[in-house]
Amino acid sequence: MKPVMALVGRPNVGKSTLFNRLTKSRDAIVADFAGLTRDRHYGNAKHGKHEFIVVDTGGFEPTAESGIYMEMAKQTRQAVAEADVVVFVVDARGGLSAQDHDIANYLRKLGKPTVLAANKAEGMTEGVQLTEFYELGLGEVHPVSAAHGQGIRSLVEIAFEPLNLPDEEEEQAAQDGLIKLAVAGRPNVGKSTLINTWLGEERLVAFDLPGTTRDAISVPFERGGQKYELIDTAGLRRKGKVFEAIEKFSVVKTLQAIESANVVLLLLDATQGVTDQDAHIAGYILESGRAVVIAVNKWDAVDEYQREQVQRQIEARLAFLKFAALHLISAKKRQGLGPVWASIAQAHQAAMTKMPTPVLTRLLQEAVQFQAPKRSGMFRPKLRYAHQGGMNPPVIVVHGNSLEHVTDAYKRFLEGRFRKEFNLIGTPLRIEMKTSKNPYADKE
């Protein structure tokens, strides 16, 4: 499971700027006035060998008892509860405040690994200006500049040092013949009903591993000779010999389940249509490179007009997942569940497909003959050969000259040719362009 880092602090200390720096994105809104971030933001981050989920929170006022600040405090407490490590951000230029003391007291009581980051420290000499922050009793003060990227790498190293994170064994699930399956979706779309149906129908020997708040629950089971591990985000609980599924929604748990899986079943609700939350979850699945199957639940509960609306919404809002198989099901009435399993197996097989270099190169050359890439100024990209650069998701690396000028439209054209040849249904496909170095570039 990817570890989780929560960024907390009072308003306007630069948490969102740090979030954007860590995730290499502009997902968090940044402006020079307080209280802009009210809800939690989640993103993927990678620094050095560390991959993790980072959570940006609103300005934290632990003592707030009413209004928007109480709601923001509630959001922050939830983020801290889900985190493995907390980065407490203070303002090196603004100095220490009473609110900083309140937050520090709250964090000390929790006893969770906490790192104190003094932001906006660019150009400041260490020592005198930062000594006041030692009053907070949270140990070493780490000067950083989120805006300029100073001290960020060492901050991440220090934050994760006490966790003793194990090295992940890549492709272990594939070697064991095990398919890790995550069921993801909004609350009340029917994840619990679907899981209960599976667990009741498929004669299984199962055990649950309920860990801390951040752990998803895994249930091994077997169907038709294929071993699966169900990574659940709905919340499973054992009651006697019967499994109960309790519908809870933790964004962190969902993101971690997606990261841990080989295949993700994205469950939608036909009665609600495709919401923003559905699109966000779908986007994260694509960003993570996971194979995916889409199932629309409660199909029996909607009329013909609603069915047309849902299908249009899927085409419009989830167009980026058009490579995924789509199933219309009813978990409650156990309708349409068989074909879902076939698509899960197909998506996993596609994600682990081996693509020989000679075949990829032949397809590439045929594609160029059929339609050459557009000329950019004096240069026309020359695509010479291709090879596989990875699996789960499949990565195709194309070599040649002036490939930085290859358009996104042409990459989509190539993707279509490769997908058709290898029958890549249910998995993202990434195409990387590598331009050969000009041997005469450095010579006069």
Side-chain angles (χ1 to χ4, degrees):
M1 290 273 179
K2 275 191 180 179
V4 179
M5 173 190 286
L7 309 179
V8 302
R10 58 186 172 86
N12 207 33
V13 293
K15 296 185 298 298
S16 294
T17 308
L18 180 57
F19 175 88
N20 289 346
R21 175 68 63 177
L22 290 169
T23 59
K24 297 179 173 63
S25 72
R26 295 181 64 83
D27 288 349
I29 305 167
V30 179
D32 194 20
F33 56 88
L36 201 66
T37 306
R38 291 183 176 178
D39 299 316
R40 285 169 283 164
H41 291 106
Y42 299 83
N44 251 334
K46 182 176 182 181
H47 275 259
K49 63 181 180 179
H50 297 295
E51 288 190 32
F52 55 99
I53 294 167
V54 60
V55 188
D56 178 27
T57 63
F60 189 27
E61 296 189 17
T63 55
E65 295 179 357
S66 63
I68 188 68
Y69 292 106
M70 185 185 75
E71 291 302 314
M72 288 161 65
K74 193 187 298 181
Q75 292 277 340
T76 301
R77 286 192 186 93
Q78 181 65 31
V80 170
E82 293 175 329
D84 297 290
V85 64
V86 176
V87 174
F88 177 19
V89 186
V90 293
D91 188 337
R93 295 185 182 276
L96 199 58
S97 73
Q99 198 173 336
D100 290 329
H101 278 286
D102 290 340
I103 297 169
N105 291 337
Y106 173 74
L107 293 174
R108 275 202 311 273
K109 288 174 187 173
L110 287 180
K112 186 156 284 194
T114 302
V115 178
L116 184 58
N119 191 29
K120 308 180 186 178
E122 63 274 8
M124 295 175 65
T125 54
E126 291 183 35
V128 181
Q129 293 98 327
L130 302 179
T131 50
E132 62 178 327
F133 293 107
Y134 285 91
E135 290 179 26
L136 298 174
L138 290 171
E140 194 70 29
V141 181
H142 303 281
V144 300
S145 171
H148 296 84
Q150 296 169 6
I152 303 301
R153 182 180 288 272
S154 59
L155 178 71
V156 173
E157 294 288 340
I158 291 161
F160 288 117
E161 189 178 0
L163 299 185
N164 296 319
L165 300 172
D167 293 330
E168 292 186 13
E169 299 177 17
E170 286 189 32
E171 312 299 346
Q172 188 61 46
Q175 292 169 12
D176 295 344
L178 180 73
I179 298 178
K180 292 186 175 182
L181 173 65
V183 181
R186 293 180 294 110
N188 304 317
V189 297
K191 297 193 299 293
S192 303
T193 309
L194 179 61
I195 291 162
N196 279 337
T197 301
W198 282 348
L199 294 177
E201 277 187 347
E202 318 295 345
R203 297 176 59 228
L204 59 97
V205 178
F207 59 91
D208 56 347
L209 299 170
T212 61
T213 310
R214 68 187 181 88
D215 291 328
I217 296 162
S218 62
V219 181
F221 62 102
E222 193 172 317
R223 184 182 190 275
Q226 172 63 56
K227 292 181 179 178
Y228 294 90
E229 182 178 321
L230 176 64
I231 304 168
D232 169 50
T233 57
L236 275 175
R237 179 170 72 191
R238 200 170 205 166
K239 184 181 178 184
K241 293 185 179 179
V242 180
F243 278 91
E244 284 186 6
I246 306 96
E247 193 75 72
K248 293 188 294 185
F249 190 66
S250 160
V251 176
V252 161
K253 190 181 284 188
T254 300
L255 302 189
Q256 287 182 316
I258 289 168
E259 291 287 350
S260 302
N262 302 119
V263 184
V264 179
L265 179 67
L266 176 61
L267 202 60
L268 307 176
D269 185 340
T271 63
Q272 300 293 321
V274 181
T275 68
D276 287 342
Q277 210 169 9
D278 293 322
H280 286 314
I281 295 170
Y284 195 89
I285 294 169
L286 182 67
E287 184 186 323
S288 301
R290 295 294 167 258
V292 59
V293 176
I294 303 172
V296 185
N297 192 28
K298 308 180 187 177
W299 197 246
D300 58 314
V302 292
D303 58 29
E304 197 61 39
Y305 173 75
Q306 287 174 295
R307 290 180 178 185
E308 285 181 17
Q309 290 295 105
V310 170
Q311 288 181 316
R312 283 178 186 168
Q313 287 174 358
I314 291 171
E315 288 173 12
R317 305 198 70 179
L318 302 183
F320 55 88
L321 291 185
K322 62 183 178 183
F323 58 80
L326 174 66
H327 295 276
L328 312 171
I329 67 168
S330 170
K332 195 173 183 180
K333 295 188 177 178
R334 304 186 176 187
Q335 294 173 352
L337 302 185
V340 173
W341 286 109
S343 291
I344 290 168
Q346 183 183 38
H348 181 257
Q349 185 179 359
M352 305 306 294
T353 296
K354 291 183 179 178
M355 297 175 280
T357 299
V359 177
L360 288 174
T361 301
R362 173 178 59 79
L363 289 169
L364 179 68
Q365 291 169 350
E366 287 175 357
V368 171
Q369 285 177 359
F370 183 81
Q371 180 181 323
K374 284 184 179 179
R375 182 186 293 275
S376 176
M378 295 175 62
F379 303 100
R380 185 188 294 277
K382 291 183 179 178
L383 289 69
R384 301 194 182 282
Y385 70 97
H387 66 87
Q388 185 168 7
M391 293 190 293
N392 194 29
V395 178
I396 296 173
V397 182
V398 177
H399 293 260
N401 300 106
S402 302
L403 299 188
E404 65 273 16
H405 301 300
V406 174
T407 62
D408 289 340
Y410 195 77
K411 287 180 186 176
R412 288 193 294 272
F413 162 69
L414 291 178
E415 180 181 336
R417 307 278 289 207
F418 291 134
R419 280 190 180 280
K420 186 176 180 183
E421 175 71 19
F422 292 101
N423 195 31
L424 299 179
I425 297 172
T427 181
L429 174 63
R430 293 177 178 169
I431 297 179
E432 296 177 0
M433 298 288 172
K434 284 204 171 179
T435 297
S436 302
K437 186 180 178 184
N438 183 350
Y440 301 102
D442 299 327
K443 296 183 180 179
E444 293 183 4

